[in-house]
Amino acid sequence: MTRTASPDLARNGRPYLYGGEEAAIASMLSAGQYNHGAVTEEFEQRVAGFLGVSEVVAVASGTAALHVAMLAAGVGPGHDVLVPSFTFCATVQAIIATGARPRFIEVNPRTCCVEPAEVLGALTPHTRAVMPVLYGGRAVDLTPARPALDEQGVTVVEDAAQAFGSCQGERRVGATGVVTCFSFGPVKNLTCGLGGAIVPRTPLEADTCRRLRGLGIIESAARRAEATTYTVDGFGLRVQMSPLNAAVGLVQLDHFAEAETRRRSLWRAYAAALEGVGGIALVDADVPRTVPPMCAVRVLDGRRDAVFRALRERGIGVGVHYPPNHTQPAFSAWHRPLPVTERLGREIMTLPFHQHLTEVDARHVAGELRQVLAAGAGQ
Ligand SMILES: *Cc1c(COP(=O)(O)O)cnc(C)c1O
């Protein structure tokens, strides 16, 4: 029998608005503020304050954050960037956009994140950067690999697209001394509509990122207003964050404590309801340090596709995050065998996860998953 779940359960991810976002956009529209300006700078300062860092550079997307951060770190043609294959394709596209080569590495299947030993094992003289992906919002601590990376001049650029608000030890991700990139896309922990941000390591790196995001023009609002010319100081993209998006982000940031609480409770409700269920393994998200944007499980014994289809038929919005990148046609030039990742790609399944859902919904989804498994889907 096919039951119909609530429409919210049919969505894997969904933005959550606290109220106030629409008014914030409307006021930007009527003020004629569409281009990078004071409100974007206010958003940068508020995010910096939240993270406990001195500089944040806002950009148009998480992908743009990764691209600009790598360019600022000097990544380009002839360089290798170590990156897990098990990530969103945006991570890889950002590497390719710099002209560098992605070198795909494995992840730990328990956490879906890279380990320091894997990074050290893949280092070559061509390696210029390492891009750990904070899968499911979980912090990745590469401290044990840092001496070797520093000695070789390898920069750590974190893809923390999913990890806004998460902690590594006592510090927020972004405040741990590496270059960090966040996404504020629609289904992330905090949304601007679309948007992203870089946390650079030094004021100089921040200036480089600002030049790279804005057509290479040396930024100074006062100078632009008064001067008859401007200075183009080098190469630059056109990926600033619009004040329309920044205004949404400011409202979301005001309510972020609620996002932290609700996302953690939802994840914990899933974990409790799935306790002892055979045939699956919950990906360890390290809650409460993590603010989770998703809840991922592995469906074992080759049953994922059948279980996925059965749940969709029951109106449950399960997803697959992610099909491995090294097997994508676009990235075939950098293919190498990665058995752990290939297996994860066949096992991974994400459960509906967003702030419209309650603990009751999590128990309902877990119940449906248990039934589908017991009914023998995929056996
Ligand atoms: C969302 C996401 C990105 C891209 O962020 P956008 O804001 O959509 O450009 C990159 N990497 C990971 C792991 C993501 O989840």
Side-chain angles (χ1 to χ4, degrees):
M1 193 182 76
T2 301
R3 267 154 301 216
T4 324
S6 94
D8 275 342
L9 283 175
R11 299 276 296 269
N12 188 260
R14 192 186 153 194
Y16 186 84
L17 300 182
Y18 299 93
E21 287 92 343
E22 289 180 25
I25 293 179
S27 74
M28 292 299 106
L29 283 173
S30 53
Q33 288 189 34
Y34 308 161
N35 213 339
H36 176 92
V39 175
T40 308
E41 277 155 27
E42 185 185 341
F43 179 66
E44 290 177 332
Q45 280 152 22
R46 288 277 309 283
V47 171
F50 170 82
L51 297 175
V53 299
S54 53
E55 298 260 17
V56 164
V57 179
V59 289
S61 69
T63 310
L66 294 168
H67 186 191
V68 166
M70 276 184 289
L71 291 177
V75 175
H79 298 145
D80 283 347
V81 178
L82 305 185
V83 64
S85 170
F86 196 66
T87 179
F88 188 39
C89 61
T91 319
V92 184
Q93 295 287 25
I95 294 169
I96 292 169
T98 68
R101 295 176 297 250
R103 177 161 170 88
F104 293 119
I105 59 176
E106 293 276 32
V107 290
N108 179 337
R110 195 177 60 79
T111 62
C112 295
C113 290
V114 298
E115 297 284 342
E118 190 71 29
V119 168
L120 289 175
L123 272 184
T124 73
H126 298 290
T127 311
R128 184 59 181 260
V130 182
M131 188 166 279
V133 175
L134 282 64
Y135 184 91
R138 187 190 172 106
V140 176
D141 186 359
L142 289 184
T143 306
R146 283 296 291 282
L149 298 177
D150 291 347
E151 190 181 327
Q152 221 188 284
V154 175
T155 306
V156 179
V157 180
E158 291 186 318
D159 180 348
Q162 300 179 359
F164 187 75
S166 293
C167 289
Q168 178 177 315
E170 298 297 305
R171 283 176 294 181
R172 297 270 185 189
V173 166
T176 65
V178 298
V179 183
T180 302
C181 298
F182 294 111
S183 164
F184 304 122
V187 299
K188 303 306 207 258
N189 288 343
L190 181 148
T191 187
C192 292
L194 284 180
I198 305 154
V199 186
R201 290 165 296 179
T202 61
L204 183 66
E205 196 167 46
D207 282 347
T208 308
C209 289
R210 294 201 167 97
R211 175 167 60 69
L212 284 163
R213 78 172 167 190
L215 295 172
I217 297 171
I218 295 177
E219 269 182 33
S220 163
R223 193 183 306 167
R224 273 203 303 279
E226 290 156 21
T228 52
T229 186
Y230 53 82
T231 305
V232 183
D233 194 42
F235 173 75
L237 300 157
R238 209 301 191 227
V239 292
Q240 298 102 321
M241 176 184 278
S242 162
L244 297 169
N245 298 103
V248 172
L250 281 168
V251 174
Q252 293 256 318
L253 200 53
D254 280 338
H255 296 274
F256 194 72
E258 186 181 330
E260 293 187 68
T261 309
R262 298 205 41 184
R263 287 173 176 279
R264 286 183 178 129
S265 338
L266 185 62
W267 193 92
R268 284 204 187 95
Y270 268 125
L274 292 170
E275 180 91 48
V277 177
I280 61 161
L282 185 68
V283 174
D284 186 349
D286 195 27
V287 174
R289 274 184 288 269
T290 298
V291 181
M294 58 157 76
C295 180
V297 297
R298 289 157 53 203
V299 184
L300 310 173
D301 311 314
R303 301 177 67 187
R304 197 274 311 273
D305 291 5
V307 167
F308 179 96
R309 277 194 301 273
L311 286 170
R312 278 286 179 92
E313 273 164 28
R314 291 171 177 235
I316 308 293
V318 283
V320 172
H321 300 85
Y322 296 94
N325 283 288
H326 68 287
T327 59
Q328 294 288 358
F331 310 138
S332 61
W334 304 286
H335 179 277
R336 53 196 287 265
L338 295 169
V340 174
T341 298
E342 282 152 32
R343 180 164 167 200
L344 267 180
R346 293 189 297 270
E347 292 181 341
I348 204 76
M349 184 174 78
T350 51
L351 305 173
F353 199 95
H354 47 78
Q355 282 171 244
H356 297 270
L357 300 180
T358 63
E359 280 106 284
V360 176
D361 294 314
R363 285 194 284 276
H364 174 77
V365 171
E368 296 285 300
L369 174 55
R370 224 182 292 118
Q371 281 180 29
V372 161
L373 287 163
Q379 268 181 338

